[in-house]
């Protein structure tokens, strides 16, 4: 392990990969030592058997010859097995976007570790055995393995006599796993707990900065007074001097830092969850501060969603079309429908409706009557409401423009605007109301576009439900209940869109990797029927991963998908070791049933050791609860559950199918000889 890890660290330095949660946290030391376990176990068994046969210690030459022979015996299946485990990580390198950035370091680091472990298992392990295993060896089973063999032998023999119930049970289990998998739901990546919350506050677009600031101060005071779990807060409103994240005064990013969870109140006898705390915050603010809409998220998660789709929520439901009135009508119907779907935490419009705007229309007849140009009217309005530069003030090296305009309190009064003076000729003045008409109209602000198309968007954050099942239900209900005019479309973006893109890519590259694995297994065994026999272990091993996710209440995610990829390599390794030994025993002209029983019992120990070592290596990842563990848990859960089903496959189903296929093949060969 240390040498493999050192090799991986060297590769990470050369490849400029940082040591982080994914690059180092996903390394399973059990997978690294699997090859060494197989070789050392076979060497120890062969040396002990030869000593027992000769009834004396082996000479250096005899010991070297025995170690070389034992290493060669398992070198081929072990080499191809570890190589296959390494190759199954290749599809991960084809991922792009966010998922690629997240999982590429993990795949590269694991492949470096496995490559180093393979070389060391084939070279260092036999050399160390020649130095350390020089005394008298007593090879035997420890109490655990001895008990396992006592239980395993009758089960195996009964299975060989009644193969159909076992094969049928495995097929039924696989079909049941497919049904369960379709019920799991799916998310892009598991939601990370960042240790803080972000409340995105949306107010009416017409609000000015001072009013928004007052509402935000009131909001902060209420939360600090009413919600004891909150430790401190701070807010960002509008656009800063360095406009890296411009927002209008109507939008606020409200950062909320809470106390340790052990200090939180109990709700209905149990500690409140983060979702319940978010719900409490929203309820308190809606009750005390009217005129604002709130969507709860987390700081990094919000930026992550905004970078992906330009919106700040888990799911963005976008309505595309030309007429904004129609867009708003469709969006309102969709929002009302989404709010009724279970799992919808907060459902809000991206923009807070329309803004009242003052429209001033020049009266053309009046302009002709008084011999005025429209430019004079425009100039009066622009000067009074927008301001006009009339000079400059110089202080040292600084220059300030002098702008003349109406005071803020007068600009809010329609009577004052009506009485604005408009110059007529050289000395005459008219009130603005004589030459212009005034109208208050609702205007869209802002108009959002994607790829040149107008859109309206509904922001949806989920609570206690996976992305895929929510979107599927929403799509079905929208199709049934919302009438979409021709030329208008509805699209689901955000994490759902990225989940679909990652799935589509894996659907292409995973079959390619499985084809490469098939070729390697065939190169190791040289027989099509044995290759197919081992290959059948991949889908059956996946059943354990599916049931493990279901038992822990986890949806499918890209992290779990990576676990299924790693699991296929482990399943092939154990099957390869077992079938290779069966074929070696066949060369001694033993009966097929005798070969299967003897081979399965002999390989019971290395199979159990490799499975347990690999499984225990993922246990810390499966039960850890620290920061970032949400990404690791699905991967580890899939591998541990899959190793359980894979071990059953290797020890029970694989010997049964091998005996059945080989007996049938031998019968066909005998019939061919007789016919000849």
């Amino acid at each position: 392990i240390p040498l493999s890890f050192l090799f991986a660290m060297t590769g990470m330095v050369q490849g400029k990969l940082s040591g982080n949660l994914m690059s180092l946290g996903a390394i399973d030391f059990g997978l690294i030592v699997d090859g060494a376990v197989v070789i050392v176990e076979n060497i120890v068994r062969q040396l002990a058997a030869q000593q027992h046969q000769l009834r004396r210690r082996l000479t250096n030459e005899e010991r070297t010859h025995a170690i070389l022979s034992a290493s060669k015996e398992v070198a081929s299946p072990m080499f191809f097995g570890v190589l296959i485990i390494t190759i199954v990580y290749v599809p991960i390198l084809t991922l792009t976007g966010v998922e690629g950035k997240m999982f590429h370091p993990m795949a590269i680091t694991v492949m470096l570790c496995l490559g180093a472990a393979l070389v060391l298992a084939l070279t260092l392990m036999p050399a160390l055995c020649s130095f350390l295993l020089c005394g008298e060896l007593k090879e035997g089973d420890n109490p655990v393995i001895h008990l396992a063999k006592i239980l395993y032998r009758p089960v195996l023999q009964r299975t060989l006599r009644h193969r159909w119930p076992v094969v049928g049970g495995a097929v039924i289990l696989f079909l049941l796993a497919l049904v369960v998998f379709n019920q799991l739901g799916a998310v892009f990546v598991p939601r990370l707990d960042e240790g803080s919350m972000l409340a995105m506050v949306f107010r009416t677009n017409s609000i000015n900065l001072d009013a928004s600031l007052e509402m935000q101060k009131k909001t902060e005071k209420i939360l600090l007074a009413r919600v004891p779990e909150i430790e401190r807060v701070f807010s960002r409103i509008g656009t800063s001097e360095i406009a890296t994240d411009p927002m209008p005064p109507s939008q606020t990013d409200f950062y909320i830092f809470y106390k340790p969870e052990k200090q939180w109140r109990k709700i209905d006898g149990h500690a409140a969850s983060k979702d319940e705390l978010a719900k409490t915050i929203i309820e308190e603010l809606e009750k005390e501060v009217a005129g604002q809409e709130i969507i709860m998220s987390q700081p990094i998660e919000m930026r992550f969603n905004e970078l992906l789709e330009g919106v700040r929520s888990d799911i963005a439901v976008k309505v595309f079309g030309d007429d904004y009135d129609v867009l708003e009508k469709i969006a309102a119907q969709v929002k009302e429908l989404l709010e009724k779907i279970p799992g919808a935490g907060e459902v809000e419009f991206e923009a807070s409706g329309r803004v009242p705007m003052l429209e001033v229309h020049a009266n053309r007849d009046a302009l002709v009557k008084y011999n005025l140009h429209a430019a004079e009217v425009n100039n009066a309005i622009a000067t009074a409401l927008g301001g006009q530069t009339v000079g400059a003030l110089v202080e040292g090296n600084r220059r300030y423009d002098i702008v003349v305009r109406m005071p803020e309190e007068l600009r809010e009064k329609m009577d004052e605007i009506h009485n604005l003076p408009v110059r007529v000729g050289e000395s005459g003045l008219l009130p603005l109301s004589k030459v212009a008409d005034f109208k208050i109209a609702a205007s869209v602000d802002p108009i959002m576009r994607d790829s040149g198309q107008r859109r309206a968007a509904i922001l949806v954050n989920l609570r206690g439900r996976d992305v895929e099942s929510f979107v599927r239900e929403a799509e079905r209900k929208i199709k049934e209940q919302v009438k979409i005019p021709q030329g208008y479309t509805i699209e689901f973006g955000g994490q759902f869109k990225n989940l679909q893109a990652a799935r589509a890519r894996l659907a292409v590259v995973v079959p390619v990797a499985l084809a490469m694995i098939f070729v390697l297994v065939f190169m190791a065994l040289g027989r099509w029927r044995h290759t197919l026999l081992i290959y059948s272990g991949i889908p059956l091993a996946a059943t354990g991963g599916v049931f493990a996710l279901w038992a822990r209440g986890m949806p499918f995610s890209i992290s779990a998908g990576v676990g299924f990829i790693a699991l296929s390599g482990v399943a092939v390794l154990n099957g390869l070791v077992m079938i290779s030994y069966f074929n070696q025993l066949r060369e001694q002209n033993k009966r097929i049933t005798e070969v299967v029983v003897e081979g399965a019992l002999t390989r019971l120990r290395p199979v159990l050791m490799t499975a347990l070592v690999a499984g225990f290596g993922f246990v810390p990842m499966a039960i850890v609860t620290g920061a970032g563990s949400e990404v690791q848990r699905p991967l580890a859960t899939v591998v541990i559950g899959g190793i359980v089903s894979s071990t059953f496959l290797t020890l029970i189903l694989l010997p049964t199918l091998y005996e059945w296929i080989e007996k049938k093949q031998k019968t066909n060969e005998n019939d061919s000889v007789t016919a000849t």
Side-chain angles (χ1 to χ4, degrees):
I1 292 176
L3 292 176
S4 299
F5 201 66
L6 178 62
F7 182 84
M9 294 298 100
T10 304
M12 292 175 66
V13 171
Q14 296 301 317
K16 294 181 170 49
L17 294 178
S18 63
N20 54 49
L21 173 69
M22 294 307 299
S23 62
L24 300 180
I27 295 177
D28 178 23
F29 296 114
L31 293 180
I32 294 174
V33 301
D34 271 353
V37 166
V38 173
I39 280 195
V40 172
E41 190 275 339
N42 202 51
I43 290 174
V44 171
R45 186 171 56 82
Q46 294 276 25
L47 288 177
Q50 195 164 345
Q51 278 189 1
H52 179 72
Q53 183 180 0
L54 298 175
R55 299 182 182 278
R56 62 174 174 82
R57 289 190 178 185
L58 302 179
T59 64
N60 290 337
E61 184 178 350
E62 290 172 335
R63 186 172 66 253
T64 302
H65 182 269
I67 291 174
L68 184 61
S69 175
S71 300
K72 287 182 177 180
E73 186 177 290
V74 295
S76 178
M78 190 276 298
F79 170 79
F80 281 102
V82 176
L83 183 61
I84 286 168
I85 294 178
T86 305
I87 286 178
V88 297
Y89 282 91
V90 171
I92 301 174
L93 299 179
T94 65
L95 294 173
T96 59
V98 176
E99 64 273 19
K101 294 289 186 181
M102 183 175 294
F103 292 106
H104 281 181
M106 182 203 76
I108 293 172
T109 306
V110 171
M111 292 172 72
L112 289 172
C113 279
L114 289 175
L118 177 60
V119 174
L120 293 172
L122 292 173
T123 56
L124 181 62
M125 290 301 106
L128 290 178
C129 287
S130 67
F131 280 110
L132 301 177
L133 303 179
C134 55
E136 184 177 352
L137 295 176
K138 293 183 179 180
E139 195 270 340
D141 298 327
N142 59 49
V144 176
I145 298 297
H146 182 68
L147 177 62
K149 286 186 175 180
I150 292 175
L151 298 175
Y152 179 49
R153 181 187 290 271
V155 172
L156 178 61
Q157 291 174 341
R158 181 171 297 180
T159 302
L160 295 176
R161 291 194 301 268
H162 307 284
R163 66 174 69 97
W164 284 112
V166 176
V167 175
V171 173
I172 292 173
L173 195 66
F174 175 67
L175 295 176
L176 183 61
L178 290 179
V179 175
V180 172
F181 182 79
N182 289 328
Q183 302 298 322
L184 286 178
V187 297
F188 178 47
V189 289
R191 188 179 190 186
L192 295 174
D193 181 10
E194 301 176 21
S196 60
M197 291 182 178
L198 174 70
M200 295 171 284
V201 184
F202 300 90
R203 303 182 176 100
T204 177
N205 288 339
S206 61
I207 194 171
N208 59 38
L209 183 59
D210 293 334
S212 182
L213 202 58
E214 288 301 319
M215 288 185 69
Q216 187 59 33
K217 289 180 179 179
K218 182 178 179 182
T219 297
E220 293 180 4
K221 289 180 180 178
I222 289 172
L223 280 189
L224 291 173
R226 299 285 183 87
V227 185
E229 290 83 0
I230 296 177
E231 186 175 30
R232 68 184 189 278
V233 298
F234 77 89
S235 309
R236 291 179 61 253
I237 300 178
T239 304
S240 59
E241 293 182 2
I242 302 177
T244 55
D245 182 26
M247 295 188 301
S250 59
Q251 294 183 15
T252 302
D253 285 346
F254 184 21
Y255 296 84
I256 302 172
F257 299 89
Y258 43 75
K259 299 175 182 177
E261 292 186 46
K262 60 183 179 181
Q263 301 180 21
W264 291 12
R265 295 170 293 177
K266 292 186 179 296
I267 299 177
D268 297 330
H270 68 277
S273 65
K274 293 181 176 63
D275 285 345
E276 290 173 329
L277 178 60
K279 185 178 179 181
T280 300
I281 291 173
I282 293 175
E283 289 175 350
E284 290 291 341
L285 293 182
E286 288 180 346
K287 183 170 55 177
E288 298 293 336
V289 185
Q292 58 186 16
E293 298 172 348
I294 299 169
I295 294 181
M296 300 299 297
S297 183
Q298 300 180 105
I300 299 176
E301 180 183 12
M302 183 270 290
R303 295 297 172 206
F304 179 78
N305 291 331
E306 189 175 28
L307 288 172
L308 287 178
E309 283 294 309
V311 295
R312 303 179 170 195
S313 59
D314 296 337
I315 300 174
V317 186
K318 299 179 179 180
V319 186
F320 293 93
D322 297 327
D323 190 331
Y324 212 87
D325 291 331
V326 179
L327 289 178
E328 284 190 326
K329 180 180 178 181
I330 297 174
Q333 294 176 359
V334 172
K335 178 177 181 293
E336 183 180 357
L337 189 149
L338 293 175
E339 289 174 335
K340 299 176 182 178
I341 298 178
E346 299 92 40
V347 182
E348 301 293 349
F349 289 114
E350 183 180 16
S352 301
R354 301 201 175 204
V355 180
M357 302 288 290
L358 173 62
E359 294 183 0
V360 182
H361 300 275
N363 188 325
R364 298 296 175 178
D365 294 335
L367 292 179
V368 172
K369 177 181 177 181
Y370 293 109
N371 194 26
L372 277 177
H373 291 287
E376 297 292 342
V377 177
N378 293 336
N379 185 56
I381 297 171
T383 302
L385 301 183
Q388 183 175 352
T389 302
V390 296
L393 175 65
V394 178
E395 288 186 358
N397 292 329
R398 296 190 177 186
R399 181 186 181 93
Y400 302 96
D401 289 336
I402 300 173
V403 178
V404 176
R405 69 174 182 179
M406 291 177 65
E408 180 74 26
E409 60 273 10
L410 296 182
R411 283 187 291 157
E412 295 178 355
K413 298 178 180 180
M414 288 297 298
D415 292 341
E416 299 294 337
I417 297 176
H418 287 175
N419 293 325
L420 283 175
V422 179
R423 180 167 296 280
V424 180
E426 293 296 328
S427 57
L429 293 174
L430 284 174
L432 182 60
S433 58
K434 291 285 188 180
V435 292
D437 299 322
F438 297 85
K439 178 182 177 183
I440 302 294
S443 177
V444 179
D445 182 28
I447 296 177
M448 302 294 184
R449 286 181 172 85
D450 278 358
S451 302
Q453 282 187 295
R454 281 187 176 186
R455 68 163 169 85
I458 301 102
L459 311 182
V460 183
N461 273 353
L462 302 182
R463 293 282 181 267
R465 188 168 182 180
D466 66 280
V467 172
E468 186 177 50
S469 66
F470 180 88
V471 171
R472 296 305 181 199
E473 183 177 351
E475 286 179 331
R476 178 175 53 82
K477 291 189 175 182
I478 289 174
K479 186 176 180 180
E480 294 173 353
Q481 302 179 28
V482 180
K483 185 177 180 180
I484 309 297
Q486 187 175 1
Y488 292 79
T489 58
I490 295 180
E491 178 184 301
F492 284 81
Q495 294 189 20
F496 175 72
K497 187 175 181 180
N498 289 274
L499 173 64
Q500 286 183 310
R503 269 185 168 177
R505 183 171 292 273
L506 289 177
V508 174
V509 297
V510 169
V512 174
L514 292 178
M516 294 172 59
I517 293 173
F518 186 88
V519 172
L520 290 174
V521 175
F522 179 74
M523 291 173 60
L525 298 176
R527 293 182 176 91
W528 289 107
R529 62 182 183 276
H530 294 168
T531 303
L532 291 172
L533 188 61
I534 292 177
Y535 216 65
S536 66
I538 295 177
L540 292 175
T543 60
V546 172
F547 287 120
L549 287 176
W550 172 75
R552 299 194 69 183
M554 294 180 176
F556 174 82
S557 62
I558 300 303
S559 178
V562 172
F564 281 111
I565 292 173
L567 179 60
S568 61
V570 178
V572 170
L573 172 62
N574 282 339
L576 199 56
V577 171
M578 183 74 80
I579 297 297
S580 298
Y581 191 61
F582 288 167
N583 291 338
Q584 292 175 17
L585 294 178
R586 288 286 300 279
E587 295 175 358
Q588 301 175 12
N589 295 322
K590 295 183 179 181
R591 294 172 55 248
I592 295 176
T593 302
E594 184 181 353
V595 164
V596 170
V597 174
E598 180 184 344
L601 287 171
T602 303
R603 287 292 182 236
L604 176 64
R605 181 169 62 186
V607 168
L608 288 179
M609 288 175 63
T610 54
L612 290 174
V613 167
F616 285 140
F618 278 103
V619 167
M621 293 170 56
I623 62 177
V624 70
T625 58
S629 61
E630 295 87 353
V631 175
Q632 293 181 331
R633 277 201 299 268
L635 188 154
T637 299
V638 167
V639 174
I640 293 174
I643 285 176
V644 173
S645 60
S646 174
T647 304
F648 165 79
L649 160 77
T650 305
L651 297 177
I652 302 297
L653 190 60
L654 202 59
T656 303
L657 293 176
Y658 183 89
E659 187 210 30
W660 178 33
I661 292 173
E662 290 304 303
K663 278 187 174 181
K664 190 173 182 180
Q665 180 69 19
K666 189 173 183 179
T667 301
N668 293 337
E669 291 175 356
N670 292 337
D671 291 343
S672 299
V673 171
T674 303
T676 303

